[in-house]
Amino acid sequence: MRRLFGSVRARATLGATLVVAVALVAAGAAVLLSLRSNLIGEAGTQAERSARAVAAELAAGTPYDKLSGLDGDDGPVQVVDDDKRLVAVSEDLERISGTDSGQVKPQPAASPTGDDDDSDDAGEALEPGEISGETVFSNGSATIDGEAEDYRFAAVEVETHDRGHLTVYAGSPLAAEHGAVRTALTVMLIGFPLLLAVVAAVTWLVTRRALRPVEGIRREMAAITHSEDLARRVPEPDTHDEIARLASTTNETLAALETSVERQRRFVADASHELRSPIASLRTQLEVAAAHPELLDLDGAVEDTVRLQRLAADLLLLARLDAGERPSDAKIDLAGIAREEAEGRTGVTVDAEPAEVAGSRGQLGRVLANLLDNAQRHARSAVTVTVRREGDRAVVGVADDGDGVPEDDRERIFERFVRLDAARSRDDGGAGLGLAIARDVAVRHGGTLTAGRGPAGGALFELRLPLA
């Protein structure tokens, strides 16, 4: 069963069919009840019309054997007196039920007494010759000339001048009601399954057509996974619906994934390239020292080792940032960090006002250290560090009096392993990771890091972070 309804198409078809089935059953029941009620009401109206016609003749003094309603053409008729005796009945009536008197033969009336007139006690107080305005309805059956049928009976009371209080029962056949209800029920029993089959088939076909692009997306994603070719894209249907938006989002995800993978590949390649030079240099020095101890360049070996250590630390920090490491929520005074990082550096001046932010003290200190290292590397003589508040932001500016950064390169310098032409030397320009690390840390802290032109014509790096 789980496999049978394991697809969205099957579940959608089943759900739609069940909903339509419930609606059809409810609507069919309502139609049948309404049809039966209307037909019974019409039969009751016809029975009331016959009863009142007989009652009018009785009120006018017509003898029982002259009543026109007793011919049996319009249905069974009974006339009952105040003592529940049958005084008149329609022709060929053999059996009846549903009236106060189950008799089918008229009964002889008792001799009237002069002081016994309680005709008004049995029903509505009527004047002689008056017909009651109320009608009592009931259901029953009658057998006329050997044919039994169900009837709707109407009872009407009449006060006569000479025969006292009488009740007229007239029936109207319910055969039309039974036939119409049976016909409607038969049509529903035949039509509903056919309609449900049509609904199921249409839902199945429409759902298959609607989900066909999803299957195309799935196949293409499976092919991309198998081939590991992230340059491929899933087909986007020209329908402007949810599936088209799903395909578009999938392609955007594939594009972002391709960019990320390509970035990682470049990162690994650049890191390998950067590590190869100091490792090769250090190996050469050690091999020379092994063969000729007197030629060992101890200072160069230490310098290469330090470069390797710094590069490994930078790569480790970038890996942690790429993994989504969240900074702590400790409150940090940027003015204090700026003074600590500037201490001991030649040509660096600090102009800072207190500005607290939330984050990692170590990472923010690393940002300022990298910015100061970069500024000192390109400055002619002076580097200025400023810390100020601007609205709900703390702004740290690091400016130098060097040649500045060309406008076209002010975004590119934040890419990893990027060194401008003026700083291509690995010894002087570093590995090209300092500014990339600084921007990544700024973004992780909810801030920004931008490059511009400083007051002295050199570069100006501004770090903006939300105040704590």
PDB file of all heavy atoms in Angstrom, residues 305-339:
ATOM      1  N   THR A 305      60.658  29.324   8.121  1.00  0.00           N
ATOM      2  CA  THR A 305      59.799  28.613   9.068  1.00  0.00           C
ATOM      3  C   THR A 305      58.714  29.530   9.606  1.00  0.00           C
ATOM      4  O   THR A 305      57.545  29.126   9.751  1.00  0.00           O
ATOM      5  CB  THR A 305      60.632  28.044  10.218  1.00  0.00           C
ATOM      6  OG1 THR A 305      61.673  27.199   9.697  1.00  0.00           O
ATOM      7  CG2 THR A 305      59.761  27.252  11.177  1.00  0.00           C
ATOM      8  N   VAL A 306      59.091  30.780   9.911  1.00  0.00           N
ATOM      9  CA  VAL A 306      58.105  31.744  10.394  1.00  0.00           C
ATOM     10  C   VAL A 306      57.057  32.020   9.323  1.00  0.00           C
ATOM     11  O   VAL A 306      55.848  32.107   9.611  1.00  0.00           O
ATOM     12  CB  VAL A 306      58.803  33.043  10.837  1.00  0.00           C
ATOM     13  CG1 VAL A 306      57.772  34.133  11.133  1.00  0.00           C
ATOM     14  CG2 VAL A 306      59.655  32.791  12.074  1.00  0.00           C
ATOM     15  N   ARG A 307      57.512  32.145   8.069  1.00  0.00           N
ATOM     16  CA  ARG A 307      56.554  32.359   6.976  1.00  0.00           C
ATOM     17  C   ARG A 307      55.592  31.186   6.867  1.00  0.00           C
ATOM     18  O   ARG A 307      54.381  31.361   6.690  1.00  0.00           O
ATOM     19  CB  ARG A 307      57.301  32.528   5.651  1.00  0.00           C
ATOM     20  CG  ARG A 307      57.967  33.891   5.478  1.00  0.00           C
ATOM     21  CD  ARG A 307      58.625  33.989   4.120  1.00  0.00           C
ATOM     22  NE  ARG A 307      57.657  33.772   3.054  1.00  0.00           N
ATOM     23  CZ  ARG A 307      57.980  33.429   1.818  1.00  0.00           C
ATOM     24  NH1 ARG A 307      59.248  33.204   1.497  1.00  0.00           N
ATOM     25  NH2 ARG A 307      57.051  33.281   0.903  1.00  0.00           N
ATOM     26  N   LEU A 308      56.123  29.982   6.990  1.00  0.00           N
ATOM     27  CA  LEU A 308      55.261  28.804   6.942  1.00  0.00           C
ATOM     28  C   LEU A 308      54.263  28.801   8.090  1.00  0.00           C
ATOM     29  O   LEU A 308      53.080  28.462   7.921  1.00  0.00           O
ATOM     30  CB  LEU A 308      56.110  27.529   6.989  1.00  0.00           C
ATOM     31  CG  LEU A 308      56.778  27.096   5.688  1.00  0.00           C
ATOM     32  CD1 LEU A 308      57.707  25.931   5.935  1.00  0.00           C
ATOM     33  CD2 LEU A 308      55.728  26.716   4.653  1.00  0.00           C
ATOM     34  N   GLN A 309      54.730  29.181   9.256  1.00  0.00           N
ATOM     35  CA  GLN A 309      53.847  29.207  10.421  1.00  0.00           C
ATOM     36  C   GLN A 309      52.715  30.218  10.223  1.00  0.00           C
ATOM     37  O   GLN A 309      51.548  29.933  10.514  1.00  0.00           O
ATOM     38  CB  GLN A 309      54.660  29.524  11.666  1.00  0.00           C
ATOM     39  CG  GLN A 309      53.848  29.469  12.957  1.00  0.00           C
ATOM     40  CD  GLN A 309      54.703  29.787  14.180  1.00  0.00           C
ATOM     41  OE1 GLN A 309      55.866  30.193  14.052  1.00  0.00           O
ATOM     42  NE2 GLN A 309      54.136  29.610  15.355  1.00  0.00           N
ATOM     43  N   ARG A 310      53.058  31.420   9.751  1.00  0.00           N
ATOM     44  CA  ARG A 310      52.035  32.447   9.528  1.00  0.00           C
ATOM     45  C   ARG A 310      51.044  32.017   8.449  1.00  0.00           C
ATOM     46  O   ARG A 310      49.822  32.202   8.592  1.00  0.00           O
ATOM     47  CB  ARG A 310      52.703  33.763   9.136  1.00  0.00           C
ATOM     48  CG  ARG A 310      53.461  34.432  10.265  1.00  0.00           C
ATOM     49  CD  ARG A 310      54.153  35.687   9.768  1.00  0.00           C
ATOM     50  NE  ARG A 310      54.845  36.376  10.860  1.00  0.00           N
ATOM     51  CZ  ARG A 310      55.637  37.440  10.682  1.00  0.00           C
ATOM     52  NH1 ARG A 310      55.829  37.922   9.440  1.00  0.00           N
ATOM     53  NH2 ARG A 310      56.227  38.014  11.718  1.00  0.00           N
ATOM     54  N   LEU A 311      51.599  31.442   7.364  1.00  0.00           N
ATOM     55  CA  LEU A 311      50.717  31.015   6.286  1.00  0.00           C
ATOM     56  C   LEU A 311      49.779  29.901   6.758  1.00  0.00           C
ATOM     57  O   LEU A 311      48.579  29.900   6.445  1.00  0.00           O
ATOM     58  CB  LEU A 311      51.551  30.537   5.093  1.00  0.00           C
ATOM     59  CG  LEU A 311      50.762  30.127   3.835  1.00  0.00           C
ATOM     60  CD1 LEU A 311      49.867  31.257   3.372  1.00  0.00           C
ATOM     61  CD2 LEU A 311      51.722  29.708   2.728  1.00  0.00           C
ATOM     62  N   ALA A 312      50.285  28.970   7.543  1.00  0.00           N
ATOM     63  CA  ALA A 312      49.439  27.900   8.068  1.00  0.00           C
ATOM     64  C   ALA A 312      48.369  28.463   8.997  1.00  0.00           C
ATOM     65  O   ALA A 312      47.212  28.005   8.979  1.00  0.00           O
ATOM     66  CB  ALA A 312      50.300  26.878   8.804  1.00  0.00           C
ATOM     67  N   ALA A 313      48.717  29.454   9.813  1.00  0.00           N
ATOM     68  CA  ALA A 313      47.733  30.075  10.706  1.00  0.00           C
ATOM     69  C   ALA A 313      46.649  30.791   9.898  1.00  0.00           C
ATOM     70  O   ALA A 313      45.452  30.714  10.238  1.00  0.00           O
ATOM     71  CB  ALA A 313      48.431  31.042  11.659  1.00  0.00           C
ATOM     72  N   ASP A 314      47.066  31.498   8.829  1.00  0.00           N
ATOM     73  CA  ASP A 314      46.077  32.173   7.981  1.00  0.00           C
ATOM     74  C   ASP A 314      45.144  31.179   7.312  1.00  0.00           C
ATOM     75  O   ASP A 314      43.920  31.389   7.254  1.00  0.00           O
ATOM     76  CB  ASP A 314      46.789  33.008   6.912  1.00  0.00           C
ATOM     77  CG  ASP A 314      47.459  34.241   7.492  1.00  0.00           C
ATOM     78  OD1 ASP A 314      47.117  34.616   8.629  1.00  0.00           O
ATOM     79  OD2 ASP A 314      48.321  34.828   6.811  1.00  0.00           O
ATOM     80  N   LEU A 315      45.704  30.100   6.796  1.00  0.00           N
ATOM     81  CA  LEU A 315      44.872  29.088   6.141  1.00  0.00           C
ATOM     82  C   LEU A 315      43.901  28.444   7.135  1.00  0.00           C
ATOM     83  O   LEU A 315      42.743  28.175   6.803  1.00  0.00           O
ATOM     84  CB  LEU A 315      45.754  28.015   5.486  1.00  0.00           C
ATOM     85  CG  LEU A 315      46.625  28.481   4.316  1.00  0.00           C
ATOM     86  CD1 LEU A 315      47.517  27.353   3.835  1.00  0.00           C
ATOM     87  CD2 LEU A 315      45.751  28.987   3.174  1.00  0.00           C
ATOM     88  N   LEU A 316      44.369  28.209   8.359  1.00  0.00           N
ATOM     89  CA  LEU A 316      43.498  27.621   9.367  1.00  0.00           C
ATOM     90  C   LEU A 316      42.353  28.571   9.720  1.00  0.00           C
ATOM     91  O   LEU A 316      41.197  28.150   9.863  1.00  0.00           O
ATOM     92  CB  LEU A 316      44.306  27.272  10.613  1.00  0.00           C
ATOM     93  CG  LEU A 316      43.518  26.661  11.781  1.00  0.00           C
ATOM     94  CD1 LEU A 316      42.851  25.366  11.343  1.00  0.00           C
ATOM     95  CD2 LEU A 316      44.436  26.440  12.975  1.00  0.00           C
ATOM     96  N   LEU A 317      42.652  29.857   9.848  1.00  0.00           N
ATOM     97  CA  LEU A 317      41.612  30.832  10.163  1.00  0.00           C
ATOM     98  C   LEU A 317      40.602  30.929   9.032  1.00  0.00           C
ATOM     99  O   LEU A 317      39.379  30.974   9.263  1.00  0.00           O
ATOM    100  CB  LEU A 317      42.249  32.200  10.434  1.00  0.00           C
ATOM    101  CG  LEU A 317      41.263  33.344  10.741  1.00  0.00           C
ATOM    102  CD1 LEU A 317      40.365  32.984  11.921  1.00  0.00           C
ATOM    103  CD2 LEU A 317      42.013  34.645  10.997  1.00  0.00           C
ATOM    104  N   LEU A 318      41.082  30.943   7.766  1.00  0.00           N
ATOM    105  CA  LEU A 318      40.154  30.979   6.635  1.00  0.00           C
ATOM    106  C   LEU A 318      39.270  29.740   6.601  1.00  0.00           C
ATOM    107  O   LEU A 318      38.074  29.820   6.280  1.00  0.00           O
ATOM    108  CB  LEU A 318      40.944  31.093   5.322  1.00  0.00           C
ATOM    109  CG  LEU A 318      41.529  32.476   5.012  1.00  0.00           C
ATOM    110  CD1 LEU A 318      42.402  32.412   3.773  1.00  0.00           C
ATOM    111  CD2 LEU A 318      40.411  33.500   4.812  1.00  0.00           C
ATOM    112  N   ALA A 319      39.845  28.590   6.935  1.00  0.00           N
ATOM    113  CA  ALA A 319      39.047  27.360   6.953  1.00  0.00           C
ATOM    114  C   ALA A 319      37.953  27.453   8.002  1.00  0.00           C
ATOM    115  O   ALA A 319      36.810  27.021   7.776  1.00  0.00           O
ATOM    116  CB  ALA A 319      39.948  26.160   7.211  1.00  0.00           C
ATOM    117  N   ARG A 320      38.275  28.001   9.184  1.00  0.00           N
ATOM    118  CA  ARG A 320      37.262  28.145  10.226  1.00  0.00           C
ATOM    119  C   ARG A 320      36.172  29.130   9.807  1.00  0.00           C
ATOM    120  O   ARG A 320      34.990  28.911  10.069  1.00  0.00           O
ATOM    121  CB  ARG A 320      37.913  28.599  11.535  1.00  0.00           C
ATOM    122  CG  ARG A 320      38.810  27.558  12.165  1.00  0.00           C
ATOM    123  CD  ARG A 320      38.904  27.769  13.675  1.00  0.00           C
ATOM    124  NE  ARG A 320      39.267  29.124  14.008  1.00  0.00           N
ATOM    125  CZ  ARG A 320      40.511  29.574  14.214  1.00  0.00           C
ATOM    126  NH1 ARG A 320      41.534  28.726  14.103  1.00  0.00           N
ATOM    127  NH2 ARG A 320      40.746  30.826  14.538  1.00  0.00           N
ATOM    128  N   LEU A 321      36.570  30.222   9.130  1.00  0.00           N
ATOM    129  CA  LEU A 321      35.581  31.196   8.669  1.00  0.00           C
ATOM    130  C   LEU A 321      34.683  30.599   7.594  1.00  0.00           C
ATOM    131  O   LEU A 321      33.457  30.822   7.596  1.00  0.00           O
ATOM    132  CB  LEU A 321      36.294  32.449   8.139  1.00  0.00           C
ATOM    133  CG  LEU A 321      37.058  33.277   9.172  1.00  0.00           C
ATOM    134  CD1 LEU A 321      37.804  34.415   8.488  1.00  0.00           C
ATOM    135  CD2 LEU A 321      36.112  33.842  10.232  1.00  0.00           C
ATOM    136  N   ASP A 322      35.276  29.830   6.670  1.00  0.00           N
ATOM    137  CA  ASP A 322      34.473  29.193   5.626  1.00  0.00           C
ATOM    138  C   ASP A 322      33.514  28.169   6.204  1.00  0.00           C
ATOM    139  O   ASP A 322      32.448  27.902   5.640  1.00  0.00           O
ATOM    140  CB  ASP A 322      35.381  28.521   4.585  1.00  0.00           C
ATOM    141  CG  ASP A 322      36.101  29.547   3.726  1.00  0.00           C
ATOM    142  OD1 ASP A 322      35.640  30.704   3.679  1.00  0.00           O
ATOM    143  OD2 ASP A 322      37.121  29.196   3.097  1.00  0.00           O
ATOM    144  N   ALA A 323      33.889  27.558   7.312  1.00  0.00           N
ATOM    145  CA  ALA A 323      33.023  26.559   7.948  1.00  0.00           C
ATOM    146  C   ALA A 323      31.873  27.201   8.709  1.00  0.00           C
ATOM    147  O   ALA A 323      31.027  26.501   9.263  1.00  0.00           O
ATOM    148  CB  ALA A 323      33.844  25.683   8.890  1.00  0.00           C
ATOM    149  N   GLY A 324      31.828  28.551   8.741  1.00  0.00           N
ATOM    150  CA  GLY A 324      30.725  29.238   9.400  1.00  0.00           C
ATOM    151  C   GLY A 324      30.922  29.454  10.878  1.00  0.00           C
ATOM    152  O   GLY A 324      29.942  29.545  11.627  1.00  0.00           O
ATOM    153  N   GLU A 325      32.157  29.520  11.347  1.00  0.00           N
ATOM    154  CA  GLU A 325      32.403  29.739  12.768  1.00  0.00           C
ATOM    155  C   GLU A 325      31.833  31.081  13.195  1.00  0.00           C
ATOM    156  O   GLU A 325      32.129  32.117  12.605  1.00  0.00           O
ATOM    157  CB  GLU A 325      33.906  29.682  13.047  1.00  0.00           C
ATOM    158  CG  GLU A 325      34.262  29.919  14.507  1.00  0.00           C
ATOM    159  CD  GLU A 325      35.761  29.882  14.734  1.00  0.00           C
ATOM    160  OE1 GLU A 325      36.333  28.773  14.674  1.00  0.00           O
ATOM    161  OE2 GLU A 325      36.359  30.952  14.933  1.00  0.00           O
ATOM    162  N   ARG A 326      31.000  31.073  14.217  1.00  0.00           N
ATOM    163  CA  ARG A 326      30.358  32.300  14.693  1.00  0.00           C
ATOM    164  C   ARG A 326      31.207  32.944  15.785  1.00  0.00           C
ATOM    165  O   ARG A 326      31.703  32.254  16.683  1.00  0.00           O
ATOM    166  CB  ARG A 326      28.963  32.005  15.249  1.00  0.00           C
ATOM    167  CG  ARG A 326      28.010  31.460  14.209  1.00  0.00           C
ATOM    168  CD  ARG A 326      26.655  31.172  14.825  1.00  0.00           C
ATOM    169  NE  ARG A 326      26.060  32.392  15.367  1.00  0.00           N
ATOM    170  CZ  ARG A 326      25.353  33.256  14.669  1.00  0.00           C
ATOM    171  NH1 ARG A 326      25.162  33.041  13.379  1.00  0.00           N
ATOM    172  NH2 ARG A 326      24.858  34.336  15.226  1.00  0.00           N
ATOM    173  N   PRO A 327      31.362  34.255  15.715  1.00  0.00           N
ATOM    174  CA  PRO A 327      32.131  34.926  16.763  1.00  0.00           C
ATOM    175  C   PRO A 327      31.358  34.939  18.075  1.00  0.00           C
ATOM    176  O   PRO A 327      30.139  34.782  18.110  1.00  0.00           O
ATOM    177  CB  PRO A 327      32.304  36.343  16.205  1.00  0.00           C
ATOM    178  CG  PRO A 327      31.148  36.536  15.290  1.00  0.00           C
ATOM    179  CD  PRO A 327      30.874  35.187  14.681  1.00  0.00           C
ATOM    180  N   SER A 328      32.085  35.155  19.161  1.00  0.00           N
ATOM    181  CA  SER A 328      31.444  35.241  20.474  1.00  0.00           C
ATOM    182  C   SER A 328      30.694  36.557  20.605  1.00  0.00           C
ATOM    183  O   SER A 328      30.799  37.441  19.758  1.00  0.00           O
ATOM    184  CB  SER A 328      32.499  35.115  21.579  1.00  0.00           C
ATOM    185  OG  SER A 328      33.415  36.202  21.501  1.00  0.00           O
ATOM    186  N   ASP A 329      29.931  36.705  21.681  1.00  0.00           N
ATOM    187  CA  ASP A 329      29.141  37.918  21.916  1.00  0.00           C
ATOM    188  C   ASP A 329      29.765  38.821  22.975  1.00  0.00           C
ATOM    189  O   ASP A 329      29.072  39.644  23.571  1.00  0.00           O
ATOM    190  CB  ASP A 329      27.717  37.536  22.341  1.00  0.00           C
ATOM    191  CG  ASP A 329      26.968  36.819  21.223  1.00  0.00           C
ATOM    192  OD1 ASP A 329      27.270  37.103  20.051  1.00  0.00           O
ATOM    193  OD2 ASP A 329      26.101  35.980  21.536  1.00  0.00           O
ATOM    194  N   ALA A 330      31.055  38.666  23.215  1.00  0.00           N
ATOM    195  CA  ALA A 330      31.722  39.510  24.215  1.00  0.00           C
ATOM    196  C   ALA A 330      31.797  40.954  23.722  1.00  0.00           C
ATOM    197  O   ALA A 330      31.903  41.231  22.525  1.00  0.00           O
ATOM    198  CB  ALA A 330      33.115  38.969  24.498  1.00  0.00           C
ATOM    199  N   LYS A 331      31.743  41.901  24.672  1.00  0.00           N
ATOM    200  CA  LYS A 331      31.848  43.314  24.320  1.00  0.00           C
ATOM    201  C   LYS A 331      33.311  43.709  24.223  1.00  0.00           C
ATOM    202  O   LYS A 331      34.101  43.458  25.143  1.00  0.00           O
ATOM    203  CB  LYS A 331      31.129  44.179  25.355  1.00  0.00           C
ATOM    204  CG  LYS A 331      29.617  44.025  25.307  1.00  0.00           C
ATOM    205  CD  LYS A 331      28.938  45.006  26.250  1.00  0.00           C
ATOM    206  CE  LYS A 331      27.419  44.877  26.153  1.00  0.00           C
ATOM    207  NZ  LYS A 331      26.725  45.838  27.049  1.00  0.00           N
ATOM    208  N   ILE A 332      33.660  44.314  23.096  1.00  0.00           N
ATOM    209  CA  ILE A 332      35.051  44.677  22.805  1.00  0.00           C
ATOM    210  C   ILE A 332      35.122  46.177  22.563  1.00  0.00           C
ATOM    211  O   ILE A 332      34.297  46.739  21.839  1.00  0.00           O
ATOM    212  CB  ILE A 332      35.584  43.925  21.561  1.00  0.00           C
ATOM    213  CG1 ILE A 332      35.269  42.429  21.652  1.00  0.00           C
ATOM    214  CG2 ILE A 332      37.066  44.172  21.388  1.00  0.00           C
ATOM    215  CD1 ILE A 332      35.912  41.739  22.812  1.00  0.00           C
ATOM    216  N   ASP A 333      36.142  46.836  23.161  1.00  0.00           N
ATOM    217  CA  ASP A 333      36.386  48.264  22.937  1.00  0.00           C
ATOM    218  C   ASP A 333      37.380  48.395  21.784  1.00  0.00           C
ATOM    219  O   ASP A 333      38.558  48.036  21.912  1.00  0.00           O
ATOM    220  CB  ASP A 333      36.935  48.933  24.196  1.00  0.00           C
ATOM    221  CG  ASP A 333      37.117  50.427  24.013  1.00  0.00           C
ATOM    222  OD1 ASP A 333      36.598  50.973  23.008  1.00  0.00           O
ATOM    223  OD2 ASP A 333      37.789  51.055  24.845  1.00  0.00           O
ATOM    224  N   LEU A 334      36.895  48.875  20.635  1.00  0.00           N
ATOM    225  CA  LEU A 334      37.760  48.990  19.464  1.00  0.00           C
ATOM    226  C   LEU A 334      38.895  49.981  19.691  1.00  0.00           C
ATOM    227  O   LEU A 334      39.986  49.809  19.131  1.00  0.00           O
ATOM    228  CB  LEU A 334      36.920  49.413  18.250  1.00  0.00           C
ATOM    229  CG  LEU A 334      35.954  48.360  17.692  1.00  0.00           C
ATOM    230  CD1 LEU A 334      35.175  48.927  16.513  1.00  0.00           C
ATOM    231  CD2 LEU A 334      36.708  47.108  17.266  1.00  0.00           C
ATOM    232  N   ALA A 335      38.647  51.009  20.492  1.00  0.00           N
ATOM    233  CA  ALA A 335      39.716  51.979  20.757  1.00  0.00           C
ATOM    234  C   ALA A 335      40.873  51.293  21.474  1.00  0.00           C
ATOM    235  O   ALA A 335      42.059  51.523  21.153  1.00  0.00           O
ATOM    236  CB  ALA A 335      39.171  53.137  21.587  1.00  0.00           C
ATOM    237  N   GLY A 336      40.557  50.412  22.449  1.00  0.00           N
ATOM    238  CA  GLY A 336      41.611  49.707  23.167  1.00  0.00           C
ATOM    239  C   GLY A 336      42.381  48.764  22.251  1.00  0.00           C
ATOM    240  O   GLY A 336      43.611  48.662  22.326  1.00  0.00           O
ATOM    241  N   ILE A 337      41.680  48.061  21.385  1.00  0.00           N
ATOM    242  CA  ILE A 337      42.361  47.152  20.448  1.00  0.00           C
ATOM    243  C   ILE A 337      43.257  47.939  19.508  1.00  0.00           C
ATOM    244  O   ILE A 337      44.385  47.522  19.204  1.00  0.00           O
ATOM    245  CB  ILE A 337      41.326  46.330  19.660  1.00  0.00           C
ATOM    246  CG1 ILE A 337      40.560  45.405  20.594  1.00  0.00           C
ATOM    247  CG2 ILE A 337      41.999  45.521  18.565  1.00  0.00           C
ATOM    248  CD1 ILE A 337      39.523  44.557  19.889  1.00  0.00           C
ATOM    249  N   ALA A 338      42.762  49.092  19.020  1.00  0.00           N
ATOM    250  CA  ALA A 338      43.565  49.899  18.106  1.00  0.00           C
ATOM    251  C   ALA A 338      44.873  50.354  18.779  1.00  0.00           C
ATOM    252  O   ALA A 338      45.942  50.322  18.164  1.00  0.00           O
ATOM    253  CB  ALA A 338      42.748  51.101  17.641  1.00  0.00           C
ATOM    254  N   ARG A 339      44.787  50.768  20.017  1.00  0.00           N
ATOM    255  CA  ARG A 339      46.006  51.215  20.707  1.00  0.00           C
ATOM    256  C   ARG A 339      46.959  50.040  20.941  1.00  0.00           C
ATOM    257  O   ARG A 339      48.184  50.183  20.818  1.00  0.00           O
ATOM    258  CB  ARG A 339      45.625  51.868  22.034  1.00  0.00           C
ATOM    259  CG  ARG A 339      44.844  53.176  21.874  1.00  0.00           C
ATOM    260  CD  ARG A 339      44.683  53.888  23.216  1.00  0.00           C
ATOM    261  NE  ARG A 339      43.918  55.115  23.078  1.00  0.00           N
ATOM    262  CZ  ARG A 339      42.613  55.213  23.259  1.00  0.00           C
ATOM    263  NH1 ARG A 339      41.913  54.125  23.590  1.00  0.00           N
ATOM    264  NH2 ARG A 339      41.989  56.360  23.112  1.00  0.00           N
TER     265      ARG A 339
END
